[in-house]
Amino acid sequence: MSTGVDRSDLGTTAARAVMWNYLSFASGKALVLVTLAVLARLLTPAEFGIVGFATLALAYLAVLKDLGLGGALIQRRGDIEEASHTVYTLNLLLGAVLTGLTIAGAPLVAAFFDEPLVTPILRVLAFTFVIEALGSVHLVLLARRLDFRRKLIPDVGRALIKGAVAITAASLGLGVWALVWGQLAGVATSALLVRLVVPWRPRLRIRRRLIRPMLGFGMPLVLVDIQHALWVNLDYVVIGRMLGGEALGIYTLAYRLPELLIQSIWRVVARTAFPFFSSLQDRPDLLRKGFLKTIRYSQLLVVPLALGLMITAEPAVAALFGDQWGDAVPVLRVLALFTLIASIGDNAGDVYKAIGRPGILAKLSVANLAVLVPALILAAPHGIVAVAWAHAGIAVVDATARLLVARHLIGTRLRDIARELVPAYRAGTAMAIVALMVLWALSAAGPVAALLATTTAGGLTYLGVLARWSPDDLRRIAGWVGLGRFVSGRGS
């Protein structure tokens, strides 16, 4: 069966998939950012924190919503149609079970965070498990085919409806429930739209002979997902439990900018790299080349965004969310650094999965978590900035370990990885120097003017350095996004 990947043009196939996936993801997240900017002026940090308590519980239960069967379906080479029906049916059953467990366990979550309002909120949000299951396999099939262009429709639709409902409800004075109803509406919209764009009709049937091999591949991924959920949300749990809802609201908002602008890139790379690497699992040379190129091009996107957030944190928070969120500024700077560090080694895990060794990723994840838990607990009494620094410190260790294991498995050399980082960090250094000078010169001009001038000057500097020293990279990226005719000329 065809994988849908053209092996004759490795770089273009993989990179176009990444760019379409990022366009899909970024379009939705841009709308989320606009929604967040409006809601930050309508709701208080404490109200964000209360809903954050409920969404934490959902995040932990969500790791069980497909038992790794989605990843197994992407990696599988035969019986795809029957496997798809089986995964769909199992996902519906799991969604129903998780909905019931969430409704029953809501009072326990409310008691843990000492916030009674969490109970009714969590019981309403519990239905997202069943709703998401209706479109989960359709999304997996898009990922398997590297067909991320059509994913743009459900992603943007979800963000539009979620934002419209949440802002309308907040304007009507519904408080925390504005976030709840917006979330539910967005999930329902995504499930509906993905079924419209993917012409696949699921059937409620289970082929038992397929369950064991797929669970054999998927269960180690569940362990990784559990670790990832703990890793991603542990700081929220520690802050919510030890410092309260208002601190959690401020930290959550500070985290959203690097999450939307930077973490989204490595998540997109992972969604694209895993199915692509899986198609090359029997071609180690091409797999190694693809791994290095994903590092190169993801960093070309991550570096300017991360450095830009660190530099413009103060005017960005003031311009987007208002002066009442000023305490988020130092947290934002550290979290931007954390995401920059973590992004370098993140997609190494997709190599482990693609070659059928997801257990390695699970072991690394458990080791990472064993270090992170005490680090965050020790940092929390010193405030939310200290929690962010703890995250950044552990990210250095984790990224190093992932790259060293990838070096052993597929023969990548650390100097090869370093070579792929040079274009992004060379241009990023120049960008940072110019941006800091512009920001200092316009410090009295107001946050909006300072933000616009700094990002414009920094962005132009970054592109200029790429055009001078890495013109092929710039032309290639421009070509993938349909702007090749605007970036032409002689190479270096």
Side-chain angles (χ1 to χ4, degrees), residues 266-332:
W266 85 55
R267 289 174 184 169
V268 165
V269 169
R271 292 177 185 177
T272 309
F274 174 39
F276 186 75
F277 289 166
S278 294
S279 72
L280 301 175
Q281 57 188 276
D282 58 340
R283 304 283 296 276
D285 291 341
L286 291 179
L287 180 59
R288 182 166 53 251
K289 180 179 178 181
F291 172 60
L292 291 172
K293 291 306 178 185
T294 56
I295 291 177
R296 184 184 189 93
Y297 291 108
S298 64
Q299 288 302 293
L300 283 169
L301 296 173
V302 166
V303 168
L305 294 172
L307 293 179
L309 274 182
M310 281 187 272
I311 293 168
T312 64
E314 186 171 357
V317 169
L320 292 173
F321 309 125
D323 294 333
Q324 69 271 26
W325 293 90
D327 290 341
V329 171
V331 184
L332 172 57

Side-chain angles (χ1 to χ4, degrees), residues 14 29 73 134 154 212 389 425:
K29 294 306 181 182
L73 184 57
L134 295 172
R212 184 171 181 177
W389 274 115
Y425 284 86

Side-chain angles (χ1 to χ4, degrees), residues 57 61 98-112 118-119 122-123:
L61 286 171
L98 290 175
T99 296
L101 289 175
T102 304
I103 291 173
L108 298 177
V109 179
F112 179 82
V118 169
T119 298
L122 194 51
R123 283 175 170 168

Side-chain angles (χ1 to χ4, degrees), residues 362-410:
K363 292 175 183 177
L364 286 173
S365 299
V366 170
N368 173 270
L369 189 62
V371 179
L372 182 62
V373 171
L376 293 182
I377 292 175
L378 291 173
H382 303 285
I384 54 179
V385 177
V387 171
W389 274 115
H391 242 322
I394 301 304
V396 174
V397 178
D398 184 56
T400 302
R402 286 171 179 256
L403 293 175
L404 287 174
V405 173
R407 174 178 177 269
H408 172 72
L409 289 177
I410 61 174

Side-chain angles (χ1 to χ4, degrees), residues 132-422:
E132 284 185 333
L134 295 172
S136 60
V137 173
H138 296 75
L139 290 172
V140 169
L141 293 175
L142 284 178
R144 179 182 170 82
R145 302 165 188 163
L146 295 177
D147 186 4
F148 296 105
R149 179 158 37 186
R150 284 190 288 176
K151 191 171 177 290
L152 188 67
I153 296 174
D155 279 355
V156 172
R158 175 177 183 152
L160 276 173
I161 298 302
K162 177 181 178 179
V165 171
I167 291 173
T168 300
S171 300
L172 294 174
L174 295 185
V176 295
W177 287 100
L179 299 173
V180 175
W181 296 120
Q183 175 71 10
L184 205 62
V187 170
T189 300
S190 177
L192 174 63
L193 290 177
V194 75
R195 291 177 70 106
L196 293 176
V197 301
V198 179
W200 177 73
R201 293 186 178 182
R203 298 177 182 177
L204 295 177
R205 66 188 187 202
I206 296 176
R207 292 289 183 262
R208 286 184 292 177
R209 64 180 175 82
L210 298 176
I211 295 177
R212 184 171 181 177
M214 294 186 73
L215 284 178
F217 180 89
M219 289 308 295
L221 298 185
V222 174
L223 295 177
V224 174
D225 288 342
I226 290 173
Q227 185 277 338
H228 182 72
L230 291 170
W231 176 74
V232 168
N233 298 295
L234 185 61
D235 47 356
Y236 291 160
V237 173
V238 170
I239 291 170
R241 175 70 174 177
M242 299 179 67
L243 301 178
E246 184 171 350
L248 178 60
I250 293 171
Y251 187 91
T252 299
L253 183 133
Y255 201 99
R256 292 309 296 273
L257 282 178
E259 180 184 44
L260 292 171
L261 298 177
I262 306 171
Q263 291 185 29
S264 61
I265 293 176
W266 85 55
R267 289 174 184 169
V268 165
V269 169
R271 292 177 185 177
T272 309
F274 174 39
F276 186 75
F277 289 166
S278 294
S279 72
L280 301 175
Q281 57 188 276
D282 58 340
R283 304 283 296 276
D285 291 341
L286 291 179
L287 180 59
R288 182 166 53 251
K289 180 179 178 181
F291 172 60
L292 291 172
K293 291 306 178 185
T294 56
I295 291 177
R296 184 184 189 93
Y297 291 108
S298 64
Q299 288 302 293
L300 283 169
L301 296 173
V302 166
V303 168
L305 294 172
L307 293 179
L309 274 182
M310 281 187 272
I311 293 168
T312 64
E314 186 171 357
V317 169
L320 292 173
F321 309 125
D323 294 333
Q324 69 271 26
W325 293 90
D327 290 341
V329 171
V331 184
L332 172 57
R333 289 195 175 111
V334 180
L335 290 177
L337 174 63
F338 151 68
T339 52
L340 176 62
I341 296 169
S343 68
I344 297 174
D346 188 76
N347 74 316
D350 298 303
V351 173
Y352 315 153
K353 293 187 290 183
I355 63 176
R357 303 284 297 278
I360 295 176
L361 184 57
K363 292 175 183 177
L364 286 173
S365 299
V366 170
N368 173 270
L369 189 62
V371 179
L372 182 62
V373 171
L376 293 182
I377 292 175
L378 291 173
H382 303 285
I384 54 179
V385 177
V387 171
W389 274 115
H391 242 322
I394 301 304
V396 174
V397 178
D398 184 56
T400 302
R402 286 171 179 256
L403 293 175
L404 287 174
V405 173
R407 174 178 177 269
H408 172 72
L409 289 177
I410 61 174
T412 56
R413 297 173 299 181
L414 294 182
R415 63 174 175 269
D416 292 333
I417 295 173
R419 190 179 301 116
E420 301 299 334
L421 299 178
V422 169

